[in-house]
Structure formats: C-alpha cells, structure tokens
Amino acid sequence: MSVKRTVVTLLLLLTMTGAASAAEPSWYWLMQDKSGNQIYIDNNNVHKTSSLSVIWIKEVYPSGRYMLSQFRIYRNGILDWLFATIRDSQGHYVSEFHPGAKYQHTTIVPGSIFEVLYYACYGASVSNNYR
C-alpha cells in the first residue's frame, strides 16, 4: 500500500470517528422559567470529569423558537457559557453568538437557572460545594 493511500485512509477514518462521536441529542426536561421558557439538558452529550462538566441545553420559547447553548460547569461553582445558536420553530438557523467575557468564569448564584444546571451535573446544590 502506498504512503499516499495510507494517509488518505487514516484521514478518512479520523473524519468518520469525529462525526460519530457526538450522539443524537436526548433532551431531558429540567424546568420552566418565569417567562414560560422550557429548559432541557441533552443527556446523551454530557462530558464529565471529576472537576467539570460540558453540557448542552435547549431553551424553548413559547413561540416555538429555541436556543441551544453549550456550558462548561465546574464543580467549584464556576460557569463558562461557551456558545449559543438560535433556531426558529422548524429548526432553521436564525443566528449564533459567542457570549464572550461577560459569561466566562461566572460564579453560579444559588437559586438561579445556572444552579439548576449545576444540580443536573452534580446532584447537589452549588452552595453545598463551595470551598
């Protein structure tokens, strides 16, 4: 087998492995906020270590439009909002944004929606896990 063919085969295998690594979402309902938005977490795509979790949430507005957001939640009560995309009620792309510095290394406030996310990741109130 030639070197060129080997490299192409390896690249193809790596590409296919990357595409298969993200599981189909499985949305688990967490809560309804004061505005009537329904909040879900994707159970199939939670990536967790002993010190942090990376999760996707889906916030569905009463109009049917929804926002998909990715968060990094640290066990010590800190949160990073990494990415968000907004879709219309049929799932078509509307916009996306990167929340930036405003939501990087944010302390999770007890009683907030972010504490609900923390509880979903660690099974405890954020106030029980501060150092």
Side-chain angles (χ1 to χ4, degrees):
M1 186 182 266
S2 73
V3 172
K4 186 176 181 180
R5 180 180 249 172
T6 303
V7 170
V8 170
T9 302
L10 285 173
L11 288 174
L12 183 60
L13 287 173
L14 287 173
T15 303
M16 290 175 16
T17 303
S21 66
E24 190 68 28
S26 174
W27 298 108
Y28 176 78
W29 184 85
L30 291 176
M31 65 174 287
Q32 177 176 310
D33 70 12
K34 294 176 188 174
S35 300
N37 302 328
Q38 304 294 320
I39 312 296
Y40 301 84
I41 188 170
D42 178 4
N43 276 337
N44 283 349
N45 290 294
V46 173
H47 303 284
K48 195 171 178 180
T49 68
S50 60
S51 61
L52 67 92
S53 296
V54 177
I55 63 168
W56 283 94
I57 68 159
K58 182 177 187 179
E59 182 174 2
V60 181
Y61 306 112
S63 67
R65 181 180 273 208
Y66 61 92
M67 179 169 58
L68 299 172
S69 297
Q70 187 178 40
F71 291 92
R72 184 171 32 232
I73 300 176
Y74 297 89
R75 187 174 287 279
N76 68 356
I78 302 296
L79 168 131
D80 295 331
W81 188 0
L82 303 173
F83 174 79
T85 182
I86 297 176
R87 306 293 174 129
D88 67 18
S89 59
Q90 282 76 48
H92 300 116
Y93 174 87
V94 174
S95 64
E96 67 182 48
F97 61 96
H98 301 272
K102 181 177 179 183
Y103 292 102
Q104 298 299 307
H105 306 297
T106 303
T107 300
I108 298 172
V109 177
S112 69
I113 183 175
F114 298 123
E115 185 176 39
V116 173
L117 300 178
Y118 184 92
Y119 188 87
C121 292
Y122 300 110
S125 168
V126 72
S127 57
N128 292 340
N129 288 297
Y130 279 130
R131 292 179 200 199

